[in-house]
C-alpha cells in the first residue's frame, strides 16, 4: 500500500471486469480491496489506504458499495466518488456535500439500454412472451390447444414516474408504439407535451400502465403503494426498472395475488437478490435480475465515462471544490466532467 508517486491513487472496493481493471491500472495507481494477498476487511483497508503519504483522493464505486459517514470517516483524503451506477441511493449525497466530496454517476451511459429493456418488459407482460415460451417448452401446446389472449400495446395510456434521461427515452419509444404518455416528476417539463400529474395516485387512475423510472430517495420510496396500485386497477400493469423500493413490494404481491392489477414486469426488487417466492408461480409476472443496464456496449461506454470523470477530477480538482464551496446544488457536481472548463 506504499505510495508509488506518478499516477494518482484511486480506491477500488469491488472486483471489476478485466478490461475495466486494466484501463484503470493504465492511468491510476489502483488500491484494490480484492488485490491478491490483500486480506484486510473493507473499512480497515480503506483506512490503511488513506494513511499512506499520497492517499487516494478518488474512489470508483462499483455496484452497491455504500458510501456513508463511516466510509468517509475511514478515508478523509477522498474528494471524489465516481459511481458506476445511474442511481445514487447507495451514496449519502448530503454527507458528501457536507464534506466537499464531489460525486459523479454513470450519466446517460445506460439510458437507451434501460429504456429498451422497459419496453421489452412491458411487451413481454402484455403479450405473454415469456409465459408463452414456457408453455411451448413444457410441451403444453399440443396437449392443451388454446392459449389465453394477450393485450395490445398500441393505444395504452402509460404513466411514467420520473421523466429524466431514462423516462424520457421510454416515453419516446412507447409513443412510437402508439401509446399515450402521461408522467409524474418533481416538476412539469416545458420540453414535452405529455400530460403532467403532480400526484402519482391521479397518474395511476388515468393510466393502463405505470412505469417506474425515478431515482430512489426519501420522496420516492414506496411511491407506488397500495392506494396507487388500486387506482391503477385490475387491468393495469406495473413495470419497474428504477429501484425495488420505489414500490411497496409486499403490497404489489398482494395486488397481483388478489387480481387487483393485471401483471408486472420487474427488473428490480426491494431486497435484492431476494425475490418474493410467491411471484415465481405467477404467469402474468416477468422477472429479471437487475440487468436492464447491462449490455456489452454500455459496459464499454461506462469504462470510458468513468475514466473520463476521474481524469476530469484529477485535472481540475480546485474548480470542482470551488463549485461546491460556492453552494451550487449537488446535481451540478454530477458528473464530475461538468467541472471541466
Ligand atoms: O440500476 C443500475 C444503476 O443504477 O446503474
Amino acid at each position: 500500500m506504499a505510495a508509488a508517486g506518478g499516477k494518482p491513487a484511486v480506491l477500488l472496493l469491488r472486483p471489476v471486469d478485466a478490461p475495466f481493471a486494466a484501463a484503470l491500472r493504465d492511468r491510476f495507481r489502483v488500491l484494490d480491496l480484492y488485490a491478491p494477498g490483500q486480506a484486510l476487511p473493507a473499512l480497515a483497508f480503506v483506512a490503511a489506504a488513506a494513511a499512506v503519504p499520497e492517499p487516494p483522493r478518488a474512489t470508483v464505486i462499483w455496484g452497491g458499495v455504500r458510501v456513508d459517514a463511516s466510509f468517509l470517516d475511514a478515508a478523509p483524503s477522498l474528494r471524489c466518488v465516481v459511481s458506476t451506477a445511474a442511481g445514487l441511493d447507495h451514496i449519502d449525497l448530503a454527507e458528501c456535500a457536507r464534506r466537499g466530496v464531489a460525486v459523479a454517476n454513470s450519466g446517460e451511459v445506460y439510458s437507451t439500454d434501460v429504456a429498451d429493456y422497459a419496453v421489452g418488459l412491458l411487451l413481454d407482460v402484455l403479450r405473454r412472451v415469456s409465459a408463452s415460451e414456457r408453455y411451448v417448452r413444457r410441451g403444453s401446446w399440443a396437449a392443451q390447444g388454446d392459449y389465453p389472449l394477450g393485450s395490445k400495446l398500441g393505444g395504452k395510456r402509460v404513466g411514467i414516474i420520473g421523466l429524466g434521461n431514462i423516462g424520457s427515452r421510454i416515453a419516446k419509444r412507447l409513443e412510437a408504439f402508439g401509446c399515450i404518455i402521461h408522467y409524474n416528476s418533481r416538476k412539469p417539463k416545458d420540453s414535452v407535451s405529455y400530460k403532467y400529474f403532480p400526484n402519482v395516485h391521479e397518474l395511476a387512475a388515468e393510466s393502463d400502465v405505470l412505469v417506474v423510472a425515478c431515482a430512489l430517495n426519501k420522496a420516492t420510496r414506496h411511491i407506488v403503494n397500495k392506494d396507487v396500485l388500486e387506482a391503477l386497477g385490475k387491468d393495469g400493469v406495473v413495470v419497474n426498472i428504477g429501484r425495488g423500493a420505489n414500490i411497496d413490494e409486499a403490497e404489489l404481491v398482494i395486488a397481483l395475488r388478489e387480481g387487483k392489477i393485471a401483471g408486472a414486469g420487474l427488473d428490480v426488487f426491494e431486497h435484492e437478490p431476494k425475490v418474493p417466492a410467491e411471484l415465481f408461480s405467477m404467469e402474468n409476472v416477468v422477472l429479471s435480475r437487475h440487468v436492464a443496464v447491462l449490455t456489452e456496449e454500455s459496459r464499454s461506454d461506462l469504462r470510458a465515462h468513468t475514466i473520463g470523470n476521474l481524469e476530469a477530477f484529477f485535472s481540475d480538482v480546485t474548480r470542482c471544490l470551488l463549485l461546491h464551496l460556492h453552494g451550487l446544488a449537488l446535481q451540478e457536481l454530477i458528473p464530475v466532467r461538468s467541472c471541466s472548463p
Side-chain angles (χ1 to χ4, degrees), residues 68-210:
D68 53 15
S70 39
F71 175 92
L72 295 166
D73 282 346
S77 60
L78 283 183
R79 285 293 167 271
C80 180
V81 171
V82 177
S83 170
T84 59
L88 291 171
D89 45 291
H90 54 302
I91 296 178
D92 186 337
L93 295 176
E95 194 56 37
C96 288
R98 200 176 69 73
R99 297 173 189 234
V101 176
V103 178
N105 72 347
S106 58
E108 299 192 15
V109 159
Y110 302 126
S111 304
T112 56
D113 288 316
V114 177
D116 291 349
Y117 201 86
V119 174
L121 281 177
L122 179 55
L123 263 174
D124 193 336
V125 176
L126 291 175
R127 302 299 310 276
R128 305 175 193 271
V129 179
S130 296
S132 162
E133 200 256 3
R134 286 191 294 274
Y135 180 88
V136 171
R137 278 182 197 264
R138 68 176 174 251
S140 300
W141 192 355
Q144 292 177 17
D146 276 356
Y147 187 77
L149 298 177
S151 181
K152 192 184 189 73
L153 176 56
K156 291 279 185 296
R157 297 165 307 159
V158 179
I160 300 178
I161 305 174
L163 204 69
N165 291 333
I166 295 172
S168 54
R169 283 171 169 84
I170 295 171
K172 276 199 187 124
R173 282 157 175 70
L174 290 176
E175 259 190 305
F177 278 93
C179 296
I180 299 137
I181 308 296
H182 303 326
Y183 73 104
N184 164 264
S185 61
R186 274 171 301 175
K187 288 185 281 190
K189 316 252 171 193
D190 295 337
S191 53
V192 295
S193 55
Y194 313 134
K195 185 166 176 195
Y196 173 70
F197 288 79
N199 175 303
V200 172
H201 189 274
E202 283 160 26
L203 175 74
E206 293 286 320
S207 300
D208 304 303
V209 174
L210 272 188

Side-chain angles (χ1 to χ4, degrees), residues 10 14 74 76 79 81-82 84 87 134 138 153 171 214 221 239 277 279 324 333 336 339:
V10 168
R14 276 268 171 96
R79 285 293 167 271
V81 171
V82 177
T84 59
R134 286 191 294 274
R138 68 176 174 251
L153 176 56
C214 58
R221 188 182 159 73
V239 168
L279 297 177
H324 175 74
L333 290 175
V336 173
C339 297

Side-chain angles (χ1 to χ4, degrees), residues 13 59 63 71 85-86 102 108-109 134 145-146 154 157 160 174 223 236 245 262 275 278 282 286 294 297 305 327 330:
L13 301 170
T59 181
F71 175 92
E108 299 192 15
V109 159
R134 286 191 294 274
D146 276 356
R157 297 165 307 159
I160 300 178
L174 290 176
I223 194 167
V275 176
E278 206 177 328
M282 294 182 181
V286 177
L294 299 181
E297 292 81 358
H305 179 85
L330 195 67

